[in-house]
Every structure is written in structure tokens, then in C-alpha cells.
Amino acid sequence: DSKWREKFVFSGYIETIIALPTNLYSETSVSSSLVVFSKSNNSVNIIDATEIFTPVRRRNTLSDENVEEILGLLGKKCGNSRTVCYDEIAGNNYDLYPKSYTEEVKVEKDSVPFSELITRVTRGAQIKAGDLDSHFSETETDTRLLMLSDMNKGVISNDLTYLKGLDKRYDKYCATDGALVMTKNGFPVKTAIVDLEDSQRYLVNGNLYIIEINESKIEPFYLKAYLDSQQGQAQLRSILVGTAILNLPVEALKGLMIPMCSMAEQKRISEKYIKKQQEIIKLQEQLAKAEKELTEFFLVSE
């Protein structure tokens, strides 16, 4: 809807936008925004009021005191309120979600745009479930299906579905070894590094991005470590658009600033990250085993 947002902005119709708390309505728990329209505006009052509410049982409400607090933020420059000029909104793809402007994101001095570190970014294949069913294989093949549900704690499952007989047109939706896969919707943003054996390939589902990394410039696991960090997630959150469904636009993703260091330091960080990830996997396996054992104390003997 960027064209419609552009029209309203440059017609001078939008005076104020207030992001409201979630769970205000009995019909839905999604967040909403209050838009104040008037004429001849050249800037927009942006207020993030998502944390200003009074909880009442299972819902949030706006008390008179909450309303006064929100109104008191109009025109102020503070942590959750800003006045944003139209040029800044235009430079942000006409995104009108307040958190995109009120959250300060720290960018390191030696940072480069994400676009300079990758060779390709594309959305996964958008294939109907019925069409996929005809390609499922009971035996092992060189192609497997990677879906969002197959990513857990930054690791790709070993139990991916095998596929057969895919057309050549799906080749561009297959992830190469060492590629980064990233969730397209929702927050926190999830990532994983593809680790393929021999001639294997993963057909990636449309809810994920496939990002091929220029490994002469950056180590894949160093990039993943940054994107998974608090600082990286804050940057990713700042470029998400939408309210009910958060979406990560490709062009905004390409402009993400990634802090850089020497390749030797990148490798050191990558090795530490991989080691810690392996520890987590082992702990998860131990937990799953212990949980299974809890259910077997009263097994019926034959």
C-alpha cells in the first residue's frame, strides 16, 4: 500500500499517527493505530503508545490518565514521540508505523550495507500445498523441502521432506550450501545457515528469504551471529513494516548496516558461535530424552 501512503503523505492530509496497545478490542488482539487527518501538513506527529495502557482482566484499556499521557506527547521529542518530516518518511518507503521512527538503532562506525556482502536475495517458492503433494517422495532424493517450521533455535531440522520431479523453473528457489535463510514475516526474525552434503539442494518455501553470501567478504556464521544478536534484531525490527502482520521488505533489508572486522576475527567469532550452538543442540536432545522418560514410568508390560 506504499502508493496510497505516499498520496496521503504528500497531499498533506496526515497530522498525527499514534500506535495503540495490543488487545484493546474484544474481537481481536492485534495492535492498531489512530490516524488524525487534517489539511496542509508538512510533517507528521509520530507517537508510540503501545506501552501506555491499563490492564483489566484479559484486555487492555485506555484510562483517562492514559489518554492524557498520550496527548501530552504531541509535538514532543522523546523516547516514544517524534515529529517526522515528509522527506524522512519518503526515504523509509512511506512506512507510517511509529516504532520505525521512535526506536533508536545503534550503528557501528565500521559498518557496511548488507547489499555489499551478498550476491543474491530472493523470496522462496510460492507453491500451493496441493501442487507440492504430488512431488513428495517416500524415498531419498537430492531435493528436500525447507519450511519455516523446519527451523528451530537457528538450526535446520534433519527431517526435511524429500521431493521428486521438480521443474527447472524452481531452481532459483533452491538454497546453495552456505546460504542464509531468513524469515520474511514476524518478529523476532529467525535465521539459519544451509549446510548441504554432496549434490543435495533445499527448495525453500515462500515464507523465507534465500540470501547468498559473498564469503570473500564475510563469514556466514559471523553474519548470522550479528543478525541474531540484540543489536542485529533491533536493526531488523526497525525496518519491519505492517501492524497485524510484520513484513521484512527486501530493499530495506539490503540497506541494513552490518559491523565489520578482520576475517580472522570473523572466524574466531564464528567458531565460538558454532560451538555454543552445538551445546544448545545437545542440551535440547537431553531435554527431549528426559521428557520422554517422564512418560514411561508406567509402561504396560506385555
Side-chain angles (χ1 to χ4, degrees):
D1 301 320
S2 62
K3 288 295 181 184
W4 284 106
R5 297 197 300 271
E6 178 182 0
K7 181 176 177 62
F8 274 87
V9 166
F10 279 97
S11 296
Y13 294 153
I14 301 179
E15 178 182 318
T16 301
I17 298 176
I18 303 171
L20 297 172
T22 59
N23 208 27
L24 283 179
Y25 306 103
S26 58
E27 299 86 0
T28 178
S29 62
V30 301
S31 60
S32 58
S33 294
L34 172 65
V35 183
V36 180
F37 295 100
S38 61
K39 294 182 178 180
S40 303
N41 297 292
N42 54 24
S43 62
V44 180
N45 290 306
I46 297 284
I47 296 175
D48 175 17
T50 54
E51 300 300 324
I52 302 175
F53 60 88
T54 300
V56 177
R57 293 186 180 178
R58 291 187 294 272
R59 285 179 53 197
N60 298 325
T61 63
L62 294 177
S63 66
D64 291 344
E65 291 77 12
N66 295 145
V67 173
E68 288 299 321
E69 182 179 354
I70 294 170
L71 291 175
L73 293 171
L74 282 170
K76 288 188 176 180
K77 184 177 181 180
C78 57
N80 53 354
S81 176
R82 277 191 63 200
T83 298
V84 183
C85 67
Y86 282 0
D87 287 342
E88 183 176 351
I89 294 174
N92 204 21
N93 195 35
Y94 303 98
D95 177 19
L96 297 177
Y97 189 60
K99 279 187 181 292
S100 299
Y101 302 93
T102 58
E103 288 187 340
E104 291 189 15
V105 178
K106 182 182 178 182
V107 177
E108 300 291 342
K109 181 176 63 175
D110 297 323
S111 296
V112 300
F114 192 69
S115 59
E116 294 184 11
L117 305 172
I118 62 175
T119 57
R120 181 174 78 107
V121 54
T122 186
R123 184 179 178 180
Q126 300 179 66
I127 309 176
K128 294 180 180 178
D131 295 336
L132 267 178
D133 289 346
S134 62
H135 292 289
F136 288 162
S137 174
E138 296 294 331
T139 58
E140 293 186 8
T141 67
D142 62 355
T143 305
R144 305 179 78 175
L145 176 64
L146 174 57
M147 304 181 69
L148 174 58
S149 57
D150 297 315
M151 292 169 54
N152 184 31
K153 302 292 185 183
V155 178
I156 296 173
S157 170
N158 290 323
D159 299 321
L160 303 185
T161 302
Y162 286 101
L163 300 174
K164 61 182 179 181
L166 282 180
D167 294 338
K168 285 286 186 182
R169 69 176 185 269
Y170 292 119
D171 286 351
K172 64 180 179 180
Y173 303 118
C174 291
T176 57
D177 188 44
L180 176 80
V181 287
M182 175 185 291
T183 50
K184 178 181 177 292
N185 303 110
F187 187 80
V189 177
K190 299 178 181 179
T191 67
I193 299 295
V194 175
D195 183 15
L196 298 176
E197 295 180 2
D198 302 325
S199 59
Q200 275 191 346
R201 61 178 184 166
Y202 290 166
L203 176 68
V204 178
N205 177 266
N207 291 325
L208 299 168
Y209 283 131
I210 309 164
I211 301 166
E212 293 180 0
I213 301 168
N214 186 339
E215 295 189 32
S216 67
K217 294 185 176 181
I218 191 167
E219 285 279 326
F221 275 96
Y222 171 82
L223 177 59
K224 174 175 167 52
Y226 174 72
L227 294 174
D228 290 351
S229 70
Q230 291 183 356
Q231 185 177 335
Q233 287 290 308
Q235 267 213 80
L236 288 165
R237 180 65 184 84
S238 72
I239 62 175
L240 287 168
V241 298
T243 51
I245 300 176
L246 294 174
N247 179 267
L248 187 61
V250 170
E251 289 307 312
L253 178 60
K254 289 180 178 179
L256 205 72
M257 300 302 291
I258 308 298
M260 298 297 289
C261 56
S262 68
M263 289 300 289
E265 180 65 9
Q266 288 184 33
K267 288 179 180 179
R268 186 188 69 81
I269 292 172
S270 296
E271 289 169 0
K272 288 182 65 176
Y273 183 90
I274 293 170
K275 183 178 179 180
K276 186 59 65 175
Q277 190 176 61
Q278 290 171 343
E279 287 180 19
I280 292 172
I281 293 171
K282 288 180 180 179
L283 288 171
Q284 288 176 324
E285 291 172 349
Q286 291 172 10
L287 177 61
K289 180 181 178 182
E291 289 176 339
K292 183 175 182 296
E293 289 172 351
L294 281 175
T295 68
E296 296 176 343
F297 285 121
F298 295 94
L299 288 178
V300 178
S301 58
E302 293 290 339

